[in-house]
Amino acid sequence: MHSTLWIKGTKSKSLEGKTVVLAVTGSIAAVRVVELARELIRNGANVYAVMSEAATRILHPDALHYATGHEVITDITGGVEHVGMCGLQGMADLLLIAPATANTISKIAMGIDDTPVTTFATTAIGSGVATIVVPAMHQSMYDHPAVNSNLEKLGSYGISLVGPRVEEGIAKIAPNDDIVLAVERELMGKKLAGKKIVLTSGATAEAIDPIRIITNRASGKTGQELAREAFRRGGDVTIIHRNELDADGINEVYAESAASMLDSCMEEIGRGCDVFISSAAISDYTLDSLGSKIKSGQKLILEMHPTEKILPQVRSNYPAIVTVGFKAETGVGEKELVGSATRMLEEYGLDMVVANDVMAGGMGTSENSIYILQDESSASHYSGSKRYLASIIMDRVEQILL
């Protein structure tokens, strides 16, 4: 076994059993694909690389041989590599063209195949193999009307586009995390396709004055992992928070206070929603903010009052949607934690509650220990990374939807 394959599946099994052909063209962004290949492998994929001649002048094929663990295709030979990989009975599940130059995009749109990459693209599109294109070029090239037209044409062929991120006068290749997420979405079955998922995440903050706030220790990692997992499964995802996820394809709504989060939730759900997940650590108390900064050095007494709860409002106005609540306690035993979650489940009429003792861990960490309840008779316990726990929670959501 090639030593690179030792990392296979070390991050997740999301792409286990899937074969991705990584096609590289002559953009300077080609230097990024060594790590991209390894990220795909870390998530379980088998990766094979094909390069245009222009790409080999930027990145040596040996680098991708190392990165993928397989010989790199730089020429179409009598072995008809494009057919064996992306033909009607080919071994590839997906063709990922990253980076894709303006030249290559235009050739693919017109059905021209004069490089190994464009030959693979023509074959994949003709065979119905899933294809993702990741553009990268100077902004002036990206803004050319013909390039825009050709990108639209690729979309009409059923090709997914990831990025680019336009900054510093360059249409830059999307981050590797966004590309991997798009590959996962394409290959994981899309069981949530056509479903809109709205979720809250992280801590809210209540203003004391224009400078100072009262907040809590929630990091938002759980909510962000839930958003990514719902997106991987084909969902139309909106995350409401005061953090920044910045993931291509996931809609973000900024909400700072408990009141603004409630308003945003009702607005988003009102546009149509199938699943609402309330994973944010929403402030239980707020106060009347002062209009100017409080002078330092003086004794300060704050009068606080309870915030309005989101879950009862959602459940009352939209009883048909799947609704998931989160319950956090501190320093309690299993019996008390499960009992508290059970009362929440019954009081709000929720479909599911996720509970954990945040004193034992979870806030700000990458791992957690949770209990999942769907009725008062049973509670299932899970521990692991927040990504793993997000997959368990979304498994449950899928079962409820079915």
Side-chain angles (χ1 to χ4, degrees):
M1 177 188 292
H2 192 285
S3 60
T4 286
L5 302 182
W6 296 346
I7 66 171
K8 190 173 183 180
T10 54
K11 182 171 285 188
S12 82
K13 307 294 184 184
S14 62
L15 298 175
E16 188 173 39
K18 302 298 184 181
T19 296
V20 176
V21 174
L22 176 57
V24 185
T25 70
S27 162
I28 190 61
V31 298
R32 284 265 306 279
V33 300
V34 167
E35 187 54 34
L36 172 60
R38 292 174 67 77
E39 278 298 289
L40 292 166
I41 294 167
R42 289 186 183 102
N43 286 284
N46 303 307
V47 181
Y48 293 82
V50 55
M51 302 178 73
S52 68
E53 182 184 354
T56 65
R57 296 200 294 269
I58 295 170
L59 182 70
H60 197 282
D62 283 352
L64 278 179
H65 183 182
Y66 158 76
T68 64
H70 301 290
E71 292 281 354
V72 177
I73 299 165
T74 55
D75 290 294
I76 303 299
T77 71
V80 287
E81 293 82 359
H82 54 301
V83 177
M85 289 282 186
C86 293
L88 291 172
Q89 299 180 46
M91 62 188 289
D93 295 290
L94 181 136
L95 175 65
L96 173 62
I97 306 173
T101 61
N103 183 47
T104 295
I105 287 166
S106 297
K107 287 179 178 178
I108 294 171
M110 301 304 294
I112 298 170
D113 49 319
D114 60 353
T115 72
V117 170
T118 53
T119 299
F120 266 72
T122 298
T123 307
I125 294 167
S127 301
V129 173
T131 303
I132 294 176
V133 168
V134 187
M137 63 199 75
H138 282 282
Q139 184 177 352
S140 54
M141 301 175 75
Y142 182 68
D143 289 340
H144 191 291
V147 173
N148 275 263
S149 176
N150 287 327
L151 285 168
E152 290 176 6
K153 187 173 287 188
L154 295 188
S156 73
Y157 296 160
I159 294 173
S160 299
L161 302 176
V162 182
R165 297 205 173 185
V166 179
E167 54 190 24
E168 299 178 322
I170 302 171
K172 295 182 179 180
I173 189 172
N176 285 345
D177 286 348
D178 284 0
I179 300 170
V180 173
L181 193 62
V183 171
E184 291 172 321
R185 181 178 172 89
E186 192 66 50
L187 296 180
M188 282 180 58
K190 296 187 178 180
K191 292 182 179 179
L192 293 179
K195 302 297 183 182
K196 181 175 179 180
I197 295 92
V198 175
L199 58 92
T200 64
S201 175
T204 57
E206 305 301 317
I208 299 172
D209 63 20
I211 295 176
R212 302 176 179 91
I213 59 172
I214 293 177
T215 187
N216 61 60
R217 299 180 189 276
S219 65
K221 290 180 180 179
T222 294
Q224 291 179 8
E225 290 295 352
L226 284 166
R228 291 189 187 97
E229 188 63 26
F231 183 81
R232 287 185 185 103
R233 299 175 186 224
D236 175 6
V237 182
T238 294
I239 182 170
I240 303 170
H241 60 171
R242 59 187 289 263
N243 296 346
E244 186 177 1
L245 179 58
D246 199 22
D248 193 61
I250 297 177
N251 181 42
E252 295 188 69
V253 175
Y254 182 83
E256 180 166 282
S257 66
S260 62
M261 184 166 280
L262 172 59
D263 290 343
S264 295
C265 286
M266 301 307 288
E267 184 177 343
E268 287 298 324
I269 294 170
R271 294 192 178 106
C273 179
D274 299 285
V275 181
F276 174 63
I277 303 175
S278 182
S279 61
I282 302 165
S283 301
D284 291 312
Y285 295 93
T286 188
L287 66 163
D288 296 324
S289 174
L290 296 178
S292 58
K293 179 190 173 187
I294 300 169
K295 300 299 182 182
S296 60
Q298 58 183 306
K299 187 175 182 179
L300 182 64
I301 298 174
L302 301 176
E303 183 177 349
M304 307 191 73
H305 50 87
T307 57
E308 189 172 0
K309 298 290 186 182
I310 292 178
L311 281 172
Q313 291 287 330
V314 171
R315 211 61 179 138
S316 174
N317 287 277
Y318 304 98
I321 69 174
V322 174
T323 307
V324 180
F326 275 64
K327 186 64 177 178
E329 297 287 1
T330 59
V332 299
E334 176 184 343
K335 184 177 180 180
E336 187 176 348
L337 178 61
V338 171
S340 181
T342 301
R343 288 190 293 274
M344 183 183 190
L345 188 77
E346 295 172 343
E347 179 182 357
Y348 299 146
L350 304 180
D351 295 281
M352 185 165 70
V353 172
V354 181
N356 75 306
D357 180 350
V358 296
M359 188 171 287
M363 275 199 168
T365 66
S366 296
E367 299 200 347
N368 205 353
S369 178
I370 63 172
Y371 290 87
I372 298 179
L373 293 82
Q374 288 181 247
D375 57 58
E376 64 278 0
S377 63
S378 63
S380 303
H381 179 250
Y382 302 93
S383 295
S385 71
K386 289 183 176 178
R387 174 170 177 173
Y388 164 72
L389 297 176
S391 71
I392 296 295
I393 293 168
M394 294 312 301
D395 282 345
R396 297 290 191 99
V397 168
E398 282 184 4
Q399 291 167 8
I400 294 170
L401 286 170
L402 294 176

